[in-house]
Structures are given as C-alpha cells and as structure tokens.
C-alpha cells in the first residue's frame, strides 16, 4: 500500500462517527457484587466437586480427568452465575 492510500484510510477512520447506545439500564454495584460473588463461590464449589468426582470415579487418564473436570466446573460455575443473571433477563423463560 502506498502512502496516499494509507493516509486516506486513516482519515476515513478518524472521520467516522462513533455511536454509543446510551439507552441502557444501570444495574448498580449490588448486581456486580452478587455476580462476582456467585462466580467465585460457584467455580470454587465446582472445582471441589470436580476433584471429588475424579477421585470417586478413580479417573487415571489425564485426558478423561481434564474433560470431567471441565464439565463439572463449567456446569456448577455456570449455574451459580445463571442464578444471579436470570433476574436481569426477564424474557428468558427457564
């Protein structure tokens, strides 16, 4: 690319308007605190349950351990987050 084209491209990006959606609800600090707390507790409990599951099932393969650990951790951590987030998404019927 020659210099004139680079300058033209830079000018296009500099002149472009940036539109920001300001019609958003302010969820507040309580929501963020509850979400972070639920995430920390959920993933902590999920990791503990994943380790106990692997020990109880006597999984010796590293691949099988990683897959089972990821599934249990993701389900428990995601469930904890969903319990907080579902209050803010009223259109979801779960």
């Amino acid at each position: 690319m020659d210099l004139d084209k680079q300058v033209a491209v830079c000018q296009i990006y500099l002149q472009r308007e940036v539109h920001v959606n300001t019609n958003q609800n302010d969820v507040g600090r309580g929501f963020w605190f509850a979400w972070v707390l639920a995430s920390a507790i959920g993933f902590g409990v999920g990791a503990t349950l994943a380790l106990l599951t692997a020990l109880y099932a006597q999984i010796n393969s590293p691949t099988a351990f990683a897959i089972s650990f990821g599934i249990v951790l993701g389900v428990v951590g995601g469930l904890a987050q969903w319990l907080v987030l579902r209050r803010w998404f009223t259109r979801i019927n779960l």
Side-chain angles (χ1 to χ4, degrees), residues 13-56:
Y13 282 115
L14 291 174
Q15 292 173 0
R16 185 174 56 168
E17 290 184 32
V18 177
H19 297 284
V20 177
N21 182 8
T22 58
N23 188 16
Q24 299 175 358
N25 293 330
D26 183 20
V27 292
R29 289 184 182 177
F31 164 76
W32 292 109
F33 179 73
W35 185 46
V36 169
L37 186 64
S39 297
I41 291 172
F43 287 116
V45 169
T48 303
L49 286 176
L51 287 174
L52 291 175
T53 301
L55 291 174
Y56 180 74

